[in-house]
C-alpha cells in the first residue's frame, strides 16, 4: 500500500529541509527552475522527472521560478501514518 498527495509550492517558495520514515517517490508535473536537495546533492526538476527519496534522508524543495510547482508524491508508509508515527520533522542541515 502507498499513500499519495498532490503537492504545490508557490513561486519563490521553499519547503525547508525535513525527513520522514517513509520512502518518497515524487513525479514532477510543473515548475520551471524547481530543484530539490536530497542529502547534500541538488536535483533539478524537469516535467515528468521522478525523484526517489529514501526513508529518513533529509531533503528540501525549492521553487525560485515564476510559476507554481506541482507534483504527485507517493509514500510507502501507510502504516507509519496510521500509527501517527510518520517521523516527519524539520531539520537544520542534511543528515
Amino acid at each position: 500500500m502507498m499513500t499519495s498527495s498532490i503537492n504545490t509550492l508557490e513561486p519563490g517558495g521553499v519547503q525547508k529541509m525535513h525527513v520522514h520514515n517513509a520512502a518518497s517517490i515524487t513525479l514532477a508535473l510543473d515548475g520551471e527552475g524547481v530543484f530539490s536537495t536530497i542529502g547534500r546533492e541538488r536535483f533539478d526538476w524537469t516535467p515528468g522527472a521522478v525523484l526517489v527519496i529514501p526513508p529518513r534522508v533529509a531533503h528540501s524543495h525549492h521553487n525560485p521560478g515564476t510559476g507554481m510547482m506541482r507534483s504527485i508524491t507517493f509514500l510507502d508508509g501507510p502504516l507509519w501514518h496510521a500509527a501517527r508515527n510518520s517521523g516527519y520533522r524539520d531539520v537544520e542541515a542534511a543528515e
Side-chain angles (χ1 to χ4, degrees), residues 5-88:
S5 62
I6 301 289
N7 292 329
T8 60
L9 190 58
E10 301 275 337
V14 173
Q15 183 184 29
K16 61 186 172 178
M17 190 73 69
H18 63 281
V19 298
H20 38 72
N21 288 334
S24 172
I25 301 167
T26 298
L27 173 61
L29 300 175
D30 295 308
E32 185 176 327
V34 173
F35 68 94
S36 295
T37 60
I38 303 173
R40 299 191 187 280
E41 292 186 63
R42 175 183 167 140
F43 295 89
D44 295 311
W45 287 34
T46 56
V50 174
L51 298 170
V52 177
I53 303 167
R56 296 175 297 282
V57 172
H59 57 284
S60 60
H61 308 293
H62 308 262
N63 184 4
T66 58
M68 183 72 76
M69 178 276 282
R70 291 182 179 84
S71 66
I72 299 175
T73 299
F74 301 90
L75 297 172
D76 74 344
L79 179 59
W80 292 106
H81 290 284
R84 299 187 185 280
N85 188 21
S86 70
Y88 181 97

